[in-house]
Amino acid sequence: QKEVEQNSGPLSVPEGAIASLNCTYSDRGSQSFFWYRQYSGKSPELIMFIYSNGDKEDGRFTAQLNKASQYVSLLIRDSQPSDSATYLCAVKTGGGNKLTFGTGTQLKVEL
Amino acid sequence: ETGVTQTPRHLVMGMTNKKSLKCEQHLGHNAMYWYKQSAKKPLELMFVYSLEERVENNSVPSRFSPECPNSSHLFLHLHTLQPEDSALYLCASSQDVAVYNEQFFGPGTRLTVL
């Protein structure tokens, strides 16, 4: 079982729709969770982080964490073509120095 | 300069060459990281430095040799690489290695080994 799993996609959504990106992780001791956006040929850019169960909203982005189900998601409201990118989920376990990444989900927002 | 910078942005080298990648962070952070990103694979953590001391070494081949002379600079020295080492090498920094600190990435060095 992979430590951090994401559907590679591509996930296609129409402009203006809600894009839902999902991530599961295997280590129950994981304590912090990050979403990065990576445009083709560019480096990852931090979008959001979440530590506590529940929802965290920042503009058009909402991160959702369910530690019991070992599941974290990112919702993008009013999706724009500029949101088309690969979204990387990353998980950090308490006491460790390692940030473990998933392979990423490619999002395509179509006009 | 702001954020995390990396040089060179692109590098082509032969298997017998020796080269170095440079990373500099202008964020006042105390931790720095090297990652490797290959196609269709997750980012792989290579090395972690905290206050210039290496705290993580993820079974990386000895042909990759990191150096952290101070908390703002990080190098990755390369020698006798293999074609499968061709990848995007990313540097990142964070305030420290605590679990709740986010990492910020540099633009990366695209390495091609011939």
Side-chain angles (χ1 to χ4, degrees):
Chain A
Q1 183 186 8
K2 294 180 183 176
E3 293 181 78
V4 180
E5 289 209 56
Q6 296 180 258
N7 187 322
S8 61
L11 172 66
S12 293
V13 299
E15 184 178 7
I18 296 175
S20 177
L21 304 160
N22 304 316
C23 173
T24 58
Y25 58 95
S26 60
D27 189 340
R28 286 198 169 273
S30 300
Q31 295 191 3
S32 52
F33 307 86
F34 304 85
W35 282 100
Y36 286 84
R37 177 177 63 198
Q38 187 173 25
Y39 292 112
S40 180
K42 302 293 185 182
S43 62
E45 171 192 9
L46 182 68
I47 297 294
M48 289 198 69
F49 55 87
I50 187 167
Y51 310 136
S52 305
N53 275 328
D55 295 0
K56 179 182 178 183
E57 187 174 319
D58 183 2
R60 295 187 297 115
F61 299 96
T62 299
Q64 299 175 316
L65 175 60
N66 184 327
K67 289 187 177 181
S69 301
Q70 295 174 237
Y71 176 95
V72 58
S73 65
L74 179 70
L75 301 178
I76 307 174
R77 289 181 299 281
D78 188 24
S79 295
Q80 302 297 310
S82 59
D83 294 326
S84 298
T86 296
Y87 289 80
L88 305 174
C89 172
V91 174
K92 195 167 187 183
T93 302
N97 302 311
K98 186 177 179 180
L99 191 60
T100 302
F101 284 82
T103 53
T105 297
Q106 184 184 5
L107 174 66
K108 293 185 177 181
V109 181
E110 299 167 333
L111 295 170
Chain B
E1 293 277 16
T2 58
V4 182
T5 59
Q6 290 186 244
T7 55
R9 297 292 305 278
H10 300 272
L11 178 62
V12 179
M13 59 187 290
M15 289 191 285
T16 59
N17 291 157
K18 290 183 180 181
K19 297 287 185 183
S20 294
L21 310 184
K22 179 182 176 183
C23 175
E24 184 173 0
Q25 59 92 4
H26 310 268
L27 300 168
H29 288 168
N30 293 316
M32 297 186 76
Y33 311 79
W34 278 117
Y35 287 88
K36 174 183 178 182
Q37 188 175 35
S38 305
K40 307 296 184 185
K41 295 175 73 173
L43 270 79
E44 301 170 50
L45 179 65
M46 300 176 73
F47 302 104
V48 180
Y49 277 83
S50 176
L51 296 171
E52 302 138 52
E53 182 177 331
R54 191 190 305 182
V55 296
E56 185 96 22
N57 179 355
N58 274 13
S59 301
V60 178
S62 60
R63 57 186 183 268
F64 296 92
S65 175
E67 178 190 1
C68 187
N70 55 62
S71 59
S72 298
H73 293 85
L74 185 65
F75 294 89
L76 187 62
H77 304 299
L78 316 171
H79 64 97
T80 58
L81 294 191
Q82 304 299 310
E84 60 264 29
D85 296 322
S86 299
L88 180 67
Y89 288 84
L90 292 160
C91 174
S93 73
S94 64
Q95 184 59 53
D96 54 45
V97 294
V99 65
Y100 298 114
N101 286 323
E102 56 268 36
Q103 295 179 19
F104 297 91
F105 285 84
T109 295
R110 175 67 63 183
L111 174 67
T112 302
V113 181
L114 301 176

